[in-house]
Amino acid sequence: MSGRGQFITFEGGEGSGKSTQIARLAEALRGRGLDVVVTREPGGSPAAEILRSILLGGHAKMDGPLAEAALFAAARADHLASVIRPALEAGSIVLCDRFADSTRVYQGVAGGIDTATLEQIEAAAIGPTWPDLTLVLDINEKTRTERRSARTGESASDRFEDEDGAFHAAIAQGFRDLARREPQRIHLIDAGGSMEVVSERIEAEILALIEPAA
Ligand code: TYD
């Protein structure tokens, strides 16, 4: 549930092209005169960005996935309070790169934290501000490894990118399972095609949400 705006989150494994696609979508929506706020997790607000550097730097890895889940949730609570809710209340479309479904998959499915525990953490951190729509950019393992080797040398890898292929396959499957369990909110997008084709798929989903009668 959200205020007057629309809260849209993007999920997927590494190499799914989320950030490129979010930037393209934001430009397309702004071109239609819409007010768009682009943000990301972990981070998106000053306090949450500090937690981001702790988490992606691997400094909380030794404390285990439960501690990491709690830190991701703490960052999320601050991000919601200082950026997301105010933007929704102002009527903006909020495009957020990752949100709570990442915790469910990375710390839950891959990290082994049980659903009941994660639901308690979610309830405390998120309250009623769940996304109106979540798009999972889905790619297979072959595409992920191809995209990753094409990117080698561009930027240093982080705590999660360093995990092995089995980890990334489990992540992709975890998101597919979430989409099956919550088909109304979570839609799977085939992100294996060209950038333009994937953008068209995403725009069609978003326009169906914001202009349902069109
Ligand atoms: P980021 O650099 O934003 O990369 P990506 O392009 O993959 O989104 O890295 C965020 C990393 O943090 C990513 O590997 C997923 C992980 N993560 C979690 O494990 N739990 C979470 O709740 C969130 C939001 C992210």
Side-chain angles (χ1 to χ4, degrees), residues 14 18 52 56 72 76 98 102-103 106-107 158 160:
E14 336 293 316
K18 282 184 290 90
R52 176 186 177 91
L56 300 194
F72 279 113
R76 184 160 302 131
R98 297 192 182 280
S102 277
T103 311
Y106 282 79
Q107 284 66 53
D158 66 37
F160 296 95

Side-chain angles (χ1 to χ4, degrees), residues 27-106:
E27 204 181 301
L29 295 176
R30 286 179 183 133
R32 290 172 169 258
L34 295 162
D35 186 32
V36 180
V37 171
V38 176
T39 189
R40 67 161 182 192
E41 291 207 348
S45 62
E49 288 289 332
I50 293 170
L51 290 169
R52 176 186 177 91
S53 70
I54 293 170
L55 283 158
L56 300 194
H59 306 294
K61 186 178 179 181
M62 67 184 122
D63 299 318
L66 181 58
E68 288 183 318
L71 290 173
F72 279 113
R76 184 160 302 131
D78 185 75
H79 185 211
L80 278 162
S82 55
V83 175
I84 296 175
R85 286 194 197 105
L88 292 174
E89 278 156 23
S92 303
I93 297 175
V94 176
L95 306 180
C96 186
D97 190 342
R98 297 192 182 280
F99 192 65
D101 297 301
S102 277
T103 311
R104 289 179 174 182
V105 170
Y106 282 79

Side-chain angles (χ1 to χ4, degrees), residues 55-185:
L55 283 158
L56 300 194
H59 306 294
K61 186 178 179 181
M62 67 184 122
D63 299 318
L66 181 58
E68 288 183 318
L71 290 173
F72 279 113
R76 184 160 302 131
D78 185 75
H79 185 211
L80 278 162
S82 55
V83 175
I84 296 175
R85 286 194 197 105
L88 292 174
E89 278 156 23
S92 303
I93 297 175
V94 176
L95 306 180
C96 186
D97 190 342
R98 297 192 182 280
F99 192 65
D101 297 301
S102 277
T103 311
R104 289 179 174 182
V105 170
Y106 282 79
Q107 284 66 53
V109 175
I113 304 301
D114 64 280
T115 306
T117 302
L118 285 183
E119 281 175 358
Q120 284 183 310
I121 296 174
E122 282 173 357
I126 300 169
T129 317
W130 276 85
D132 299 290
L133 176 68
T134 296
L135 297 182
V136 170
L137 272 54
D138 186 48
I139 53 168
N140 59 32
E141 184 55 16
K142 186 168 167 279
T143 306
R144 186 190 74 78
T145 43
E146 281 168 6
R147 287 185 183 175
R148 186 175 200 193
S149 41
R151 270 172 46 184
T152 299
E154 252 179 44
S155 58
S157 59
D158 66 37
R159 143 93 179 87
F160 296 95
E161 283 174 349
D162 281 346
E163 298 282 355
D164 64 13
F167 174 89
H168 291 289
I171 295 294
Q173 191 53 47
F175 281 121
R176 286 177 206 128
D177 292 343
L178 282 188
R180 242 195 319 273
R181 248 178 286 148
E182 283 190 58
Q184 202 149 343
R185 174 175 67 87

